[in-house]
Amino acid sequence: MAFHRSCLDLCISRSRTGDIYMAKVAFIGLGVMGYPMAGHLKAKGGHEVTVYNRTASKAESWVSQHGGTAAPTPAEAARDADFIFTCVGNDDDLRQVTTGPDGVLATMKPGVILIDNTTASAEVAREIAAAAEAIGCAFIDAPVSGGQAGAENGVLTVMCGGNEQVFQRAKPVIDAYARMVGLMGPVGAGQLTKMVNQICIAGLVQGLAEGVHFGKKAGLDIEKVVEVISKGAAGSWQMENRHKTMNQSKYDFGFAVDWMRKDLDIVLSEARRNGATLPVTALVDQFYGEVQKLGGNRWDTSSLLARLESE
Ligand code: NAP
């Protein structure tokens, strides 16, 4: 069944301010990321938002903070929505809230766009896109980067995969929680781009951890070292934002090791499929496995330093 355009043309109207779109939006998954993202869709986007969260108390707090409505299942949340957002943990969680018995596809009307912000595989993106297309709907994989702070401040980077026309319809809605929204190619291309992002981060954080570790062993003042070298070729977002806490052995400031391992598992599976050679990424994945053995499941990714210091 072809994607139904005319329905959405009717559903989306210009707000009184004339410069934002108002739509009926469902948001599934009010975790660290989803909770503030759904908040921006309501407050900044001006949309009518219905939320669903597996742990119902989080949905109740969201409604008492932002207004809107909470639904008892993903399917109920999606019933009248024009745009449906999901932001859950992994591929299986995503299947459960979309194609599962109480998933959003059970009630989605033709013309509706499903936008998934979960970091998942390109394979599951294509699978759900096909299921959405079969009922006249469209799907965009739209993983994000920018972390908890980016979600709270509504300045995430969103990497999308999907059809150009569908993307053009969804972008003004996604803009509510984003600073950069890019269409990277067909369905799956958003997830593949996020994989590149995670590959780049893995090697970089290990390099930074080794630099800080070496500097400490050499008796240098890490603050002073970073002040100087961060202005040159070694500078990075990770260096700017994490060196202080790494130097204090504090690892409670960002993306959790468990999530990073989930992402690297997706990356390494995709690399086995497409033939890419990722020796450093594979090694860093093992290092994160050792951080987990140190009890660091919820530590942030800069805890690669804790592994070096434990040796
Ligand atoms: P989180 O805080 O653990 O939240 C996960 C959310 O998904 C919760 O609302 C959880 O419900 C829900 N959920 C999980 N499994 C479910 C299932 N089977 N059925 C229904 N709901 C389910 O995670 P997060 O940090 O928001 O991350 C969400 C996604 O964004 C992940 O894919 C992550 O890799 C990605 N991401 C995270 C960050 C970050 O810095 N945190 C940055 C970029 C991307 P409950 O409340 O009931 O547990």
Side-chain angles (χ1 to χ4, degrees), residues 274-285:
N274 71 15
T277 310
L278 306 177
V280 173
T281 308
L283 193 60
V284 173
D285 179 51

Side-chain angles (χ1 to χ4, degrees), residues 231-292:
K231 307 297 178 288
S236 66
W237 184 97
Q238 298 285 345
M239 182 180 281
E240 287 280 346
N241 290 279
R242 292 286 176 264
H243 78 275
K244 270 201 177 75
T245 46
M246 288 170 84
N247 194 29
Q248 296 161 353
S249 304
K250 289 183 179 162
Y251 302 114
D252 194 19
F253 295 90
F255 191 59
V257 167
D258 279 354
W259 278 143
M260 188 59 166
R261 282 218 87 195
K262 183 256 303 180
D263 292 3
L264 294 181
D265 184 48
I266 292 170
V267 166
L268 295 169
S269 302
E270 188 65 40
R272 277 191 289 278
R273 247 189 307 275
N274 71 15
T277 310
L278 306 177
V280 173
T281 308
L283 193 60
V284 173
D285 179 51
Q286 289 174 33
F287 291 165
Y288 278 125
E290 290 170 23
V291 173
Q292 287 173 318

